[in-house]
């Protein structure tokens, strides 16, 4: 069942279009990788899905019982965010804010959910550690645990392995793949890592001057897919 449908979407800023006539559907259980050149509008698309950016034209429809405030989001980190002086537990719990409504505190169920996601991300025992004292890979797992507190259906991930070393990158991809395949969480991930996109994704959305949406195999057979994998690499097997 479709969780997100985008129809004739036009995105831009200050009256200037950066992305035009975007049409795609994300079904429950999909693993969609969003690829394209720098500045093509990938992050702007994610912000539109989250309600942080208003489309110039077109429609975004949510289905399968999904609500916008139930989407888990892992944005690209800034240097300031990496130095955030809060505990692991506090940051993960903040992912439950959408569940609180007007209630100014976290209840037992939300605290239990945060603890479960901390454990799921291999961070048990780190609850009281300061976030800024953690390694880059540990910080990303904290943010992924936070995103999981917001959703049981769909994750939006903006370059989740940016700046990580190869070993930690492999671990992060394995975690995301497990959440998709074993827990049934739909994944939408912006990535410049074409090899990983072709290894894990069920579907590819390429945006920019050349547009494409389809399955991984359809992408590899397409002209834009052949060009993009030639230019940026990727395992075609």
């Amino acid at each position: 069942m479709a969780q997100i449908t985008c129809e004739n979407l036009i995105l831009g800023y200050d009256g200037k279009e950066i992305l035009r006539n975007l049409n795609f559907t994300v079904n429950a259980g999909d693993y969609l990788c969003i690829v394209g050149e720098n500045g093509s509008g990938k992050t702007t698309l994610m912000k539109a899905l989250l309600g942080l950016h208003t489309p110039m034209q077109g429609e975004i429809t949510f289905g399968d019982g999904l609500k916008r405030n139930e989407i888990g989001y892992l944005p690209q980190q800034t240097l300031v965010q990496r130095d955030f002086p809060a505990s692991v537990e506090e940051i993960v719990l903040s992912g439950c804010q959408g569940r609180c409504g007007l209630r100014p505190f976290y209840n037992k169920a939300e605290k239990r959910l945060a603890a479960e996601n901390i454990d799921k991300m291999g961070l048990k025992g780190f609850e009281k550690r300061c976030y800024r004292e953690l390694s880059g890979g540990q910080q990303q797992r904290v943010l992924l645990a936070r995103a999981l507190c917001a959703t049981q259906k769909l994750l939006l991930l903006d370059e989740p392995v940016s700046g990580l070393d190869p070993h930690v990158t492999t671990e992060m991809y394995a975690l995301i793949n497990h959440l998709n395949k074993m827990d049934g969480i739909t994944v939408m991930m912006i990535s410049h890592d074409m090899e990983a996109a072709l290894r894990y994704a069920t579907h590819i959305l390429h945006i920019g001057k050349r547009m494409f949406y389809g399955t991984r195999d359809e992408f590899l057979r397409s002209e834009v897919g052949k060009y993009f994998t030639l230019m940026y690499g990727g395992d075609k097997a």
Side-chain angles (χ1 to χ4, degrees):
M1 180 177 290
Q3 291 181 330
I4 294 179
T5 302
C6 290
E7 297 179 287
N8 303 318
L9 206 60
I10 298 178
L11 301 175
Y13 294 93
D14 301 322
K16 182 179 180 181
E17 295 178 7
I18 59 173
L19 187 58
R20 183 176 182 81
N21 293 335
L22 181 59
N23 295 275
F24 69 94
T25 300
V26 181
N27 292 309
D30 283 355
Y31 191 138
L32 173 68
C33 274
I34 304 170
V35 300
E37 296 80 4
N38 289 333
S40 58
K42 300 184 294 296
T43 297
T44 303
L45 170 60
M46 279 206 171
K47 289 180 178 179
L49 296 175
L50 292 165
L52 303 175
H53 178 77
T54 302
M56 298 174 68
Q57 189 173 307
E59 187 173 7
I60 300 173
T61 305
F62 295 93
D64 192 29
L66 180 69
K67 298 178 182 178
R68 183 169 266 148
N69 66 353
E70 295 174 334
I71 296 174
Y73 179 45
L74 196 163
Q76 291 190 52
Q77 278 204 91
T78 65
L79 290 175
V80 172
Q81 289 167 331
R82 291 191 179 99
D83 201 38
F84 194 64
S87 72
V88 167
E89 185 177 46
E90 288 170 332
I91 289 175
V92 175
L93 261 173
S94 70
C96 294
Q97 287 179 353
R99 302 170 182 270
C100 293
L102 298 176
R103 179 167 31 88
F105 58 87
Y106 300 112
N107 62 28
K108 290 182 179 179
E110 289 154 358
K111 291 178 180 179
R112 184 167 57 250
L113 177 63
E116 290 171 356
N117 286 323
I118 287 172
D119 189 29
K120 183 180 289 187
M121 292 297 103
L123 294 167
K124 191 173 180 61
F126 285 72
E127 290 88 348
K128 303 305 179 184
R129 288 278 300 275
C130 184
Y131 177 78
R132 63 185 178 189
E133 296 174 355
L134 303 181
S135 68
Q138 290 168 336
Q139 288 186 344
Q140 286 297 84
R141 281 188 278 155
V142 170
L143 296 180
L144 188 52
R146 179 186 184 276
L148 288 170
C149 283
T151 188
Q152 293 180 319
K153 291 187 175 183
L154 189 144
L155 286 169
L156 298 185
L157 311 174
D158 193 347
E159 294 284 355
V161 301
S162 178
L164 303 182
D165 67 48
H167 176 72
V168 177
T169 292
T170 299
E171 290 181 340
M172 193 69 178
Y173 280 138
L175 276 173
I176 295 167
N177 192 53
H178 182 89
L179 292 171
N180 176 248
K181 297 297 188 294
M182 305 305 294
D183 294 356
I185 295 176
T186 305
V187 172
M188 294 180 67
M189 180 174 72
I190 293 175
S191 180
H192 285 99
D193 186 345
M194 204 63 217
E195 183 177 348
L198 295 178
R199 179 182 300 128
Y200 296 110
T202 61
H203 294 75
I204 302 287
L205 172 64
H206 179 278
I207 60 179
K209 293 181 180 179
R210 301 184 179 196
M211 304 285 285
F212 174 89
Y213 168 71
T215 67
R216 170 191 179 275
D217 291 340
E218 289 169 343
F219 179 73
L220 287 172
R221 292 194 298 267
S222 71
E223 289 303 314
V224 64
K226 292 174 183 177
Y227 172 80
F228 203 70
T229 51
L230 178 66
M231 292 295 294
Y232 298 98
D235 182 3
K236 299 179 184 180

